[in-house]
Amino acid sequence: MTTKLSLATLADIGDRASLPSYRREDIRPGILHFGVGNFHRAHMAIYLHELFNKGRDLDWGIIGAGVMASDQRMRDKLKAQDFLTTVVEQDSDRSAATITGPMLDVITAPDFDKIIETLASPEIRIVSLTITEGGYFIDPATGKFDPDHPAIVADAQDPSNPKTVFGLIIAGLKTRRAAGAPAFTVMCCDNIPGNGEVTEATVCGLARLSDPEFADWIHHNVAFPNSMVDRITPATGQREIDITRESYGIEDGWPVFCEGFKQWVLEDKFPLGRPSLEDVGVTFVPDVAPYELMKLRILNGGHAAIAYPAALMDIHFVHESMENPLIRAFLAKLENEEIIPVVPPVPNTSLQDYFTLIETRFSNPKIGDTIPRLAQDGSNRQPKFILPSTGDRLASGLDVQGLALVSALWCRYFEGTSDGGQAIVFNDPSADRLHAAAVASRTDPMAFIGLADIFGSVGADPRFRKRYGEAIDSLRSHGAAATLQRYIDGTLAS
């Protein structure tokens, strides 16, 4: 027997899943969150759920918001179940379902006026974002705000009718200032180095295009705390929907699956107050940067490193890639010899122990994380997760053989077929030109790393180009598996 998830059926589900101990009618909104995807519902929403279960801070409920047409589908699914979510935590030795309920509503395009009205409400004291690494209108070549992006140009020309997240935030802040209400805090929860500073640069950069005085006001009045967020959360497909129904008897239109581990490190910069998240495991620190670099380079960099050899070897699941001795040994050598040595120290943390934990997390067979998810959006992820380590090593006069191999694997992936002859389906905003550059590199080996807006000065460095050339030649001559073996054996350059 299965039960359709809703507030009315919670009692019927209690023997199969952990239920909220708080009542929906007791929650009041305090946060507007842009980007109601799986990660948000497995991370920030879970922390709030756990806090609410303690009977604490019930005035920090979430109102979701989305600016993409596709967000309407998420809203429809969640509204049909009273904005409840089944979160299934899966570790290798346990699985458990939790029904979470801190979300009160989701507002989506084209109802931008309602989003602005909600942003302007004094009860909203935090505006948070998970809109993907590529959603901040940053020029990858310079690392700075891109004022020439068409969506930014459109919002700058008509700031009273914004269509981007940042234009809406600006409109909400203007309305608040006009009404004499204090500014909310803007809290980024995306995997971006210095994510608070990046968010401020985009908000102020957009505001400056139409109202320089207001941009200055934002800079002086709005807090943008940096954060590090972590929880492996795969996309939801029919597999996850079926497991939720068959294993727990719950009909959930969009359940979330995730690992048991979660982490959130956050700067304590919240002028209008915040939930007592430290009581449910959030770490507040004066400087997030060391934790952030550790996670982005070791975990996200590790994901970016194994994605492309696994895809070329026709491996679908992340845990299956870790069961492959070549990929596991490649990751270990790359991390221990090239990535970890250029990660700055982190307070009270062993980087080696952290990587051992990462290996265990990547190897979780129940999580169902996929190689296609890791391989997507490389044009935004490689410049954030891989190339900074490459650049740091080059600046210190250190070898980059393994990191150059990662770039070569990415190029080989974008040729469009695996070593087994299977067609590769790309999921990247720059897919067309990446594919064209990868194909061109068959006759001009440096064409791919010549994409200056992605590779920047790294792509022009002769030491990197030498190592990259050795790697791409090996991949074309011997294939991914044999090339990984040559790297592991120390014979890749011979």
Side-chain angles (χ1 to χ4, degrees):
M1 174 180 162
T2 62
T3 305
K4 180 174 173 53
L5 180 61
S6 71
L7 288 171
T9 61
L10 283 179
D12 300 328
I13 296 172
D15 60 339
R16 292 164 262 165
S18 174
L19 301 181
S21 62
Y22 49 91
R23 300 186 308 164
R24 171 63 60 80
E25 55 265 35
D26 292 335
I27 303 173
R28 301 184 305 282
I31 300 171
L32 185 139
H33 181 82
F34 285 101
V36 184
N38 280 18
F39 181 77
H40 166 71
R41 293 187 292 148
H43 194 262
M44 189 174 93
I46 280 284
Y47 280 106
L48 288 169
H49 167 79
E50 292 173 353
L51 188 60
F52 293 174
N53 269 345
K54 292 175 176 286
R56 303 282 304 282
D57 296 348
L58 296 175
D59 58 335
W60 289 102
I62 302 166
I63 295 178
V67 301
M68 308 295 289
S70 57
D71 291 326
Q72 183 62 47
R73 179 168 174 259
M74 172 69 81
R75 182 184 192 278
D76 291 344
K77 294 283 188 181
L78 292 177
K79 184 180 180 181
Q81 53 200 47
D82 299 319
F83 300 102
L84 298 170
T85 290
T86 307
V87 178
V88 180
E89 294 183 358
Q90 292 200 312
D91 287 326
S92 58
D93 59 350
R94 65 176 286 273
S95 297
T98 299
I99 307 301
T100 65
M103 187 169 294
L104 304 174
D105 195 2
V106 178
I107 314 166
T108 60
D111 201 354
F112 295 115
D113 288 344
K114 187 175 181 182
I115 294 176
I116 295 171
E117 178 185 338
T118 305
L119 287 166
S121 171
E123 65 186 353
I124 297 299
R125 288 150 285 162
I126 295 174
V127 174
S128 52
L129 305 88
T130 48
I131 56 174
T132 79
E133 296 88 357
Y136 288 80
F137 303 102
I138 300 301
D139 183 337
T142 65
K144 297 181 179 180
F145 170 65
D146 179 8
D148 298 321
H149 190 285
I152 292 296
V153 171
D155 270 11
Q157 291 175 344
D158 191 7
S160 62
N161 293 293
K163 299 295 187 292
T164 69
V165 168
F166 306 101
L168 290 163
I169 287 173
I170 292 166
L173 287 168
K174 280 189 175 181
T175 305
R176 291 174 80 103
R177 185 174 72 161
F184 46 65
T185 293
V186 179
M187 180 176 69
C188 176
C189 299
D190 278 305
N191 287 313
I192 301 172
N195 60 7
E197 286 98 340
V198 168
T199 306
E200 179 178 9
T202 301
V203 173
C204 290
L206 174 55
R208 197 166 302 283
L209 295 175
S210 61
D211 191 339
E213 182 274 332
F214 190 62
D216 291 338
W217 183 90
I218 292 173
H219 175 70
H220 291 295
N221 290 275
V222 180
F224 294 87
N226 289 306
S227 69
M228 182 270 264
V229 297
D230 190 7
R231 189 170 218 181
I232 296 174
T233 310
T236 296
Q238 195 59 47
R239 169 186 178 272
E240 288 72 28
I241 293 172
D242 290 345
I243 291 174
T244 306
R245 182 182 63 252
E246 294 164 6
S247 297
Y248 300 101
I250 301 170
E251 296 282 354
D252 186 320
W254 207 313
V256 173
F257 279 49
C258 58
E259 62 177 338
F261 177 90
K262 66 181 186 297
Q263 187 177 18
W264 195 0
V265 183
L266 188 58
E267 288 179 344
D268 202 352
K269 294 167 56 178
F270 295 86
L272 297 187
R274 59 167 176 81
S276 303
L277 294 166
E278 66 272 23
D279 292 344
V280 287
V282 176
T283 302
F284 285 91
V285 297
D287 183 11
V288 170
Y291 302 88
E292 182 180 65
L293 278 175
M294 175 183 72
K295 191 259 181 173
L296 292 176
R297 297 197 180 186
I298 299 177
L299 185 145
N300 296 110
H303 268 161
I306 66 175
Y308 303 108
L312 292 171
M313 296 163 69
D314 295 316
I315 296 173
H316 182 70
F317 286 107
V318 175
H319 73 272
E320 293 173 338
S321 75
M322 294 299 288
E323 292 168 358
N324 182 288
L326 291 176
I327 294 178
R328 191 178 188 106
F330 161 63
L331 177 65
K333 181 174 182 177
L334 176 71
E335 293 271 16
N336 288 317
E337 295 185 5
E338 297 192 25
I339 295 177
I340 291 174
V342 291
V343 174
V346 180
N348 305 311
T349 302
S350 162
L351 297 181
Q352 188 55 56
D353 289 349
Y354 182 76
F355 174 59
T356 300
L357 173 63
I358 296 306
E359 287 184 303
T360 300
R361 293 168 64 194
F362 286 6
S363 302
N364 183 349
K366 287 187 178 180
I367 194 65
D369 203 7
T370 67
I371 293 300
R373 186 187 79 86
L374 303 193
Q376 72 183 15
D377 207 20
S379 62
N380 285 305
R381 294 179 175 184
Q382 291 280 321
K384 296 178 178 68
F385 304 154
I386 293 294
L387 295 176
S389 294
T390 311
D392 282 356
R393 290 188 67 82
L394 291 170
S396 299
L398 301 172
D399 196 6
V400 293
Q401 185 179 55
L403 289 162
L405 173 54
V406 174
S407 295
L409 285 159
W410 187 32
C411 173
R412 172 66 189 85
Y413 167 91
F414 260 100
E415 289 184 33
T417 57
S418 71
D419 286 351
Q422 298 296 312
I424 292 173
V425 178
F426 305 134
N427 186 354
D428 192 293
S430 298
D432 290 344
R433 66 192 188 98
L434 288 169
H435 177 57
V439 171
S441 73
R442 293 172 182 166
T443 54
D444 175 8
M446 301 297 138
F448 191 78
I449 61 172
L451 296 169
D453 63 316
I454 293 174
F455 286 91
S457 61
V458 167
D461 190 291
R463 297 163 295 170
F464 174 75
R465 291 167 73 87
K466 178 179 182 295
R467 287 305 199 189
Y468 172 84
E470 294 166 352
I472 198 67
D473 285 347
S474 179
L475 288 169
R476 295 213 173 102
S477 300
H478 304 288
T483 298
L484 294 185
Q485 186 67 67
R486 296 177 75 204
Y487 169 68
I488 295 161
D489 293 343
T491 60
L492 180 55
S494 61

